[in-house]
Amino acid sequence: MRRRRGLSVRLRLTLSYAGFLTVAGGLLLAVVWGFLLRYVPDNSQGLLGISPNRYLLVRTFAPAAAVAMVFLLALGLVGGWVLAGRMLAPLTQITAAARTAGNGSLSHRIHMEGREDEFRELADTFDAMLEQLESHVAEQQRFAANASHELRTPLAISQTLLDVARKDPTRDRDELLERLQAVNTRAIDLTEALLLLSRSDRGNVTRTSVDLSLVAEEAAETLLPLAEQRGITLDVTGGTTRAGGSEELLLRMVTNLVQNAIVHNLPSGGTVTVHTGTQGDTSVIRVENTGRPLPPELVPTLTEPFQRGTERARTDEHAGVGLGLALVQSIVRAHDGTLHLAARPSGGLLATVRLPGER
């Protein structure tokens, strides 16, 4: 939107300084004039016949007062311009940094020096905002690149299978259809995960009252066949734990945590424990599993999209798409909660989700 160009802030501050100084000087001269001339007689003899009368004092005082007022006005304009420039210098730095960021360079920082004041606080806040924005943009770029790569893989496999079938008409059709169905299912799962991740990242959550203990039981019931197939003991403990949020998203969050705990477990004889409870005004759900010891440097990367823990026990048929814990992190953020992952000393992972209790 185009706006009419007005006076600059520096010029307005200068005029304000000059006006204030002129008014203050005028008031001071008026006070002196009023109180001084009140006691001077207005006659030809003056005071006791030896001091000048009011007429002579006015003729002497008025020119000097006028010169003083002009001097104050000039001093206010010059001094105000200089002082306003010095005061607004940090704002010029911030404006230049904002213009640079607007042109696409998010790596620039102000790093304003000096003591703590309003401008320093504004500059530090702006630097922090740029840092978060740069990190978010870089994360989105990595996510887009990884998503494109992951989506391209099943499409390339499908194309290869079709080319082979076209060149070899005698190939087993049932085997081809089965492999195509598996590849297509993987592509659908990945697409649905990407859509859900995008939805939760936008914070578009319809909040209702949800009992996390029932959600945990439903997720465990769904994944019980997988746990039995792998010889994993799956336990759900805890009482009623209510939180405000989307039941669909919270169910996906718990399901991903439990599935992750089952898949990345011991080859047999492992355990997965899901516990729900409250701590003050916070609803807590913990998912703990056995497994191989995790390197400490690996744990922080587990919530990054498409980052799979290569050191963790897994099987190819449940390799996933690398979005399980990334979806959990995104859903937790959309519900104003926190996700904490910690490697268990004896092996495995402890995932703790804390959500605001029902309001």
Side-chain angles (χ1 to χ4, degrees), residues 89-99 110 112 119-120 122-123 126:
L91 188 59
T92 303
Q93 287 183 263
I94 298 174
T95 302
R99 187 176 292 109
I110 301 174
M112 185 174 292
F119 284 120
R120 175 68 182 275
L122 177 61
F126 189 80

Side-chain angles (χ1 to χ4, degrees), residues 55-65:
Y55 174 75
L56 292 176
L57 284 178
V58 170
R59 288 181 60 86
T60 305
F61 183 73

Side-chain angles (χ1 to χ4, degrees), residues 65-147:
V67 173
M69 291 297 296
V70 173
F71 175 76
L72 287 176
L73 179 60
L75 180 63
L77 290 173
V78 176
W81 182 262
V82 175
L83 290 176
R86 291 178 61 86
M87 290 293 296
L88 294 176
L91 188 59
T92 303
Q93 287 183 263
I94 298 174
T95 302
R99 187 176 292 109
T100 301
N103 292 331
S105 177
L106 300 178
S107 60
H108 178 72
R109 300 291 183 272
I110 301 174
H111 296 304
M112 185 174 292
E113 300 179 353
R115 298 182 178 181
E116 288 289 342
D117 57 14
E118 290 80 357
F119 284 120
R120 175 68 182 275
E121 183 179 359
L122 177 61
D124 292 344
T125 303
F126 189 80
D127 283 345
M129 181 193 69
L130 283 180
E131 184 175 355
Q132 293 181 358
L133 184 60
E134 183 183 21
S135 175
H136 180 71
V137 170
E139 180 181 351
Q140 292 298 318
Q141 290 175 344
R142 290 196 304 270
F143 177 82
N146 289 330

Side-chain angles (χ1 to χ4, degrees), residues 114-304:
R115 298 182 178 181
E116 288 289 342
D117 57 14
E118 290 80 357
F119 284 120
R120 175 68 182 275
E121 183 179 359
L122 177 61
D124 292 344
T125 303
F126 189 80
D127 283 345
M129 181 193 69
L130 283 180
E131 184 175 355
Q132 293 181 358
L133 184 60
E134 183 183 21
S135 175
H136 180 71
V137 170
E139 180 181 351
Q140 292 298 318
Q141 290 175 344
R142 290 196 304 270
F143 177 82
N146 289 330
S148 300
H149 175 75
E150 294 289 334
L151 286 171
R152 184 178 61 182
T153 300
L155 295 177
I157 295 175
S158 298
Q159 183 64 45
T160 301
L161 291 175
L162 292 174
D163 291 341
V164 171
R166 185 181 298 110
K167 295 177 181 178
D168 186 8
T170 61
R171 189 178 181 87
D172 188 354
R173 179 173 298 180
D174 293 337
E175 178 186 358
L176 175 63
L177 292 177
E178 183 178 353
R179 295 186 63 181
L180 282 175
Q181 183 179 9
V183 173
N184 187 64
T185 301
R186 176 178 171 83
I188 292 175
D189 291 342
L190 176 58
T191 303
E192 290 180 349
L194 290 173
L195 291 174
L196 183 60
L197 183 61
S198 174
R199 173 187 168 189
S200 57
D201 278 341
R202 291 196 305 268
N204 185 20
V205 176
T206 301
R207 297 180 183 272
T208 59
S209 178
V210 180
D211 187 350
L212 294 180
S213 63
L214 297 180
V215 171
E217 290 177 2
E218 182 177 352
E221 183 178 354
T222 301
L223 294 171
L224 184 59
L226 175 62
E228 293 176 345
Q229 177 186 351
R230 296 175 59 85
I232 304 296
T233 302
L234 179 58
D235 292 324
V236 178
T237 62
T240 301
T241 304
R242 309 201 74 85
S246 167
E247 184 173 0
E248 176 191 359
L249 291 178
L250 292 176
L251 177 59
R252 174 59 68 92
M253 176 193 74
V254 178
T255 301
N256 282 9
L257 285 173
V258 176
Q259 182 175 4
N260 184 79
I262 294 174
V263 173
H264 302 290
N265 211 308
L266 297 174
S268 62
T271 61
V272 174
T273 303
V274 184
H275 179 79
T276 59
T278 58
Q279 295 180 355
D281 296 333
T282 304
S283 300
V284 182
I285 180 167
R286 292 195 300 269
V287 179
E288 185 175 8
N289 70 313
T290 55
R292 297 178 182 177
L294 292 174
E297 63 276 8
L298 177 65
V299 176
T301 68
L302 296 179
T303 56
E304 295 181 10

